[in-house]
Amino acid sequence: MTQLALVIDLNVCVGCHACVTSCKQWNTSGWAGPLVDENPYDADPTGTFFNRVQTFEVGTFPDTETVHFPKSCLHCEEPPCVQVCPTGASYKRADNGVVLVDYDKCIGCKYCSWACPYGAREVDEQQRVMKKCTLCIDRITDLTLPERERRPACVLACPASARLFGDVHDPDSEVSIAIRERGGYQLLPECGTHPANHYLPRRKTRIYIDPEELLRADNPLHKEDLTTYQGEETLDDVTW
């Protein structure tokens, strides 16, 4: 069976949030929309998002690094959200493995969010239904689009090409080759959900930093060394 999925390269993701905004734009007006915005324009916007990027620092100064971690529904091959749904609203498509929610059947009980070990489900506070990433199902199955555009909006928008999309069951697909050759891994495999989405690990680099390089010569907080004159001739005295 075909199993469509994303493969995200953590070594390439720069945390620009292009995937977040493109996802919001496409799905707000698409098959899975609308996606409510409660506070869209302030510094800390809130609302319903299918895709989020978590950014955090690891290590101890000066050996630190910034990690950007995109996160959305992982389209598990054994999705616990489908198993616990009392109305059958959550389901997995047999033809491509994408996990979806039928809003007409969803009663907003949140069983799926409790069952999901990845926190990928979000409640739409206006429609009172559970929502999640659809892999842009309305886009990837639209045969009127050119084949190169039948990919999720986040994949098309990523400026660093950190996101790959394809069939992880096809050993010759781009995603399968990337997983095989670059050590792709699943999140929380011990949960037994077999998430279809994979991550490519950050590749370690070693950079020697001379301690003197940690002191900025152009530090803007450095105070100018003003000379205190004791009556001697100054530049003002000779240029009158």
Side-chain angles (χ1 to χ4, degrees), residues 58-229:
V58 297
T60 303
F61 181 82
D63 299 319
T64 60
E65 56 183 330
T66 302
V67 176
H68 306 291
F69 192 82
K71 198 169 122 183
S72 61
C73 172
L74 302 171
H75 299 279
C76 302
E77 300 200 38
E78 299 293 337
C81 57
V82 172
Q83 299 168 14
V84 301
C85 181
T87 66
S90 291
Y91 64 101
K92 186 174 180 66
R93 281 183 56 144
D95 59 339
N96 55 27
V98 178
V99 178
L100 298 172
V101 180
D102 184 338
Y103 298 159
D104 292 333
K105 294 181 179 178
C106 181
I107 57 175
C109 67
K110 301 183 180 179
Y111 279 4
C112 56
S113 64
W114 296 336
C116 175
Y118 309 105
R121 295 283 182 133
E122 300 202 12
V123 62
D124 186 309
E125 295 292 350
Q126 292 184 358
Q127 291 184 277
R128 303 303 303 170
V129 296
M130 304 305 292
K131 294 187 174 180
K132 55 174 282 304
C133 164
T134 68
L135 280 181
C136 294
I137 192 69
D138 51 342
R139 184 180 192 107
I140 63 176
T141 58
D142 186 352
L143 299 181
T144 65
L145 293 174
E147 184 175 356
R148 65 179 181 278
E149 295 182 14
R150 295 203 293 270
R151 292 183 291 169
C154 60
V155 176
L156 294 170
C158 181
S161 299
R163 288 171 171 256
L164 306 177
F165 171 69
D167 180 10
V168 293
H169 283 181
D170 177 2
D172 297 323
S173 68
E174 181 183 25
V175 289
S176 292
I177 293 173
I179 293 170
R180 187 168 59 246
E181 295 186 351
R182 297 160 62 184
Y185 63 91
Q186 301 169 314
L187 289 186
L188 301 177
E190 63 273 22
C191 292
T193 61
H194 302 292
N197 284 10
H198 286 65
Y199 291 88
L200 302 181
R202 292 170 60 83
R203 293 181 283 280
K204 289 290 184 182
T205 57
R206 293 286 182 185
I207 301 176
Y208 174 74
I209 301 176
D210 191 305
E212 294 185 357
E213 295 178 359
L214 298 176
L215 301 176
R216 289 184 52 182
D218 59 344
N219 190 341
L221 299 179
H222 179 73
K223 293 183 179 179
E224 185 179 0
D225 183 17
L226 297 177
T227 301
T228 300
Y229 292 98

